[in-house]
Amino acid sequence: GVMTSGGTESILCAVKGYRDRARYLWPHIKNPEILLPKSAHVAFEKGAHYFGIKCVWVPLDEKTQDPDLDAMRKRITKNTILIVASAPQYPAGTMDPIEKISDIALEKGLPLHVDSCIGGFMLPFVEKLGHNVPLWDFRVSGVTSISADCHKYGYAPKGASVISWRNADDRLHQFHAFAGWPGGYYASPSLLGTRAGGPIAAAWASINAMGVDGYTDQAKKCMEVADMMKKAITDIPELELVGNPVMSILCFKSIDAKIHPFALADAMAKKGWKLSRQQNPNSLHVTIMPIHWNVREK
């Protein structure tokens, strides 16, 4: 794997790596495409824009927020170079059906990148606590790379993220090297040339200081608060969870035409709540951190 400065850089490295992999393996592809659910992080669109790739979006089921797998299969073309899935996706906190998407990737001979920037340092410990977490990592045979942020639920200072590859041959396409410069041989494993050592050292220290027990304890606190919040939301007839979030990020919407979620967010802000506004559907997003355990009864 490779350390990067954050989730966006990890995703950009993945997009660049798979573009160059396609150039090596499938040089006949002149107009490469990435296939990704509509809920995939916007950094994939950014990477596609930077590196000359077309994003082919897969619609979501309105109720579950799962990508339409039939539509995904039909959108694969001779130009597809990569399939993307999320664990979990950020807007609703739901898990893409990665095992099923993996089956499609294997059947079509395509790589599969799992974006777990927000979940990579949380999901293993949520699973360890006994919660039902669908398989999403390298235990799924079609997964070829994963991105995960140390500075989210890894509790490291910003900015620190990692992109991990199943095999070194694919990882090599992420690197850039040039031997023709008068200044000497130049090679970079990530997008940046000079990289700050401080965040890398701080991430190493944070992860070692937390340890398995520390991460498990923090996950337990977050999940307890998440369960409390889910119940509180579902107990209000005018509100509804969006999808079935498996972790400690969630999203809810109003099912009462008289209550606009953004107006609700304005009212909640006066009570000290900071809720992110989202669209399609109009909804409110919550990211639960361990500090919220101290005020869970409020």
Side-chain angles (χ1 to χ4, degrees):
V2 174
M3 288 284 301
T4 71
S5 61
T8 293
E9 188 185 0
S10 290
I11 289 171
L12 293 180
C13 284
V15 174
K16 185 268 183 193
Y18 284 112
R19 183 201 64 177
D20 288 3
R21 176 183 183 272
R23 286 178 173 175
Y24 177 73
L25 294 176
W26 307 314
H28 62 280
I29 296 179
K30 305 303 181 184
N31 300 294
E33 299 174 353
I34 296 174
L35 188 61
L36 65 174
K38 195 64 178 176
S39 54
H41 197 278
V42 69
F44 287 101
E45 191 281 332
K46 184 177 186 178
H49 177 73
Y50 280 4
F51 300 121
I53 302 170
K54 178 183 177 181
C55 285
V56 177
W57 301 102
V58 177
L60 307 177
D61 181 276
E62 185 176 342
K63 186 72 175 177
T64 66
Q65 294 296 294
D66 286 348
D68 183 331
L69 297 185
D70 289 335
M72 177 175 282
R73 186 183 295 275
K74 290 175 183 177
R75 281 165 167 75
I76 295 174
T77 73
K78 62 181 190 244
N79 292 322
T80 305
I81 64 168
L82 172 65
I83 299 177
V84 170
S86 303
Q89 51 116 311
Y90 177 83
T94 59
M95 296 280 286
D96 287 343
I98 290 170
E99 289 184 275
K100 293 180 180 179
I101 296 174
S102 168
D103 290 341
I104 294 173
L106 290 170
E107 175 190 335
K108 299 296 184 180
L110 292 168
L112 171 59
H113 178 81
V114 172
D115 173 30
S116 193
C117 281
I118 199 164
F121 283 86
M122 173 65 98
L123 290 173
F125 304 100
V126 174
E127 181 180 351
K128 181 180 173 66
L129 288 167
H131 294 270
N132 181 25
V133 178
L135 292 179
W136 60 276
D137 52 19
F138 288 126
R139 291 173 292 178
V140 181
S141 56
V143 174
T144 51
S145 58
I146 298 171
S147 49
D149 286 1
C150 311
H151 65 219
K152 288 192 173 78
Y153 284 103
Y155 306 113
K158 291 188 175 184
S161 178
V162 294
I163 174 170
S164 302
W165 297 81
R166 183 179 287 274
N167 67 67
D169 288 341
D170 284 348
R171 182 188 61 177
L172 188 63
H173 296 291
Q174 177 187 315
F175 300 170
H176 176 78
F178 183 65
W181 185 43
Y185 186 80
Y186 181 90
S188 301
S190 61
L191 296 185
L192 303 181
T194 299
R195 297 193 292 168
I200 296 174
W204 180 89
S206 298
I207 291 169
N208 279 275
M210 289 287 293
V212 171
D213 290 343
Y215 281 117
T216 304
D217 179 62
Q218 301 291 21
K220 184 174 185 292
K221 291 179 178 178
C222 289
M223 292 305 294
E224 285 183 6
V225 177
D227 289 342
M228 291 175 65
M229 186 166 288
K230 290 176 191 176
K231 184 179 185 306
I233 291 168
T234 54
D235 283 347
I236 300 173
E238 295 83 4
L239 301 180
E240 181 179 77
L241 284 171
V242 178
N244 181 29
V246 300
M247 210 181 79
S248 49
I249 59 173
L250 55 92
C251 172
F252 63 95
K253 64 180 181 178
S254 169
I255 54 176
D256 185 336
K258 297 178 182 179
I259 303 175
H260 196 289
F262 297 173
L264 177 60
D266 291 340
M268 294 292 287
K270 296 176 182 178
K271 297 179 178 294
W273 291 77
K274 296 185 183 297
L275 304 173
S276 299
R277 294 157 178 79
Q278 299 189 145
Q279 61 181 354
N280 303 322
N282 289 332
S283 54
L284 301 177
H285 181 274
V286 180
T287 298
I288 296 165
M289 300 299 288
I291 194 171
H292 295 128
W293 191 82
N294 298 326
V295 293
R296 64 192 182 280
E297 299 297 339
K298 298 182 179 180

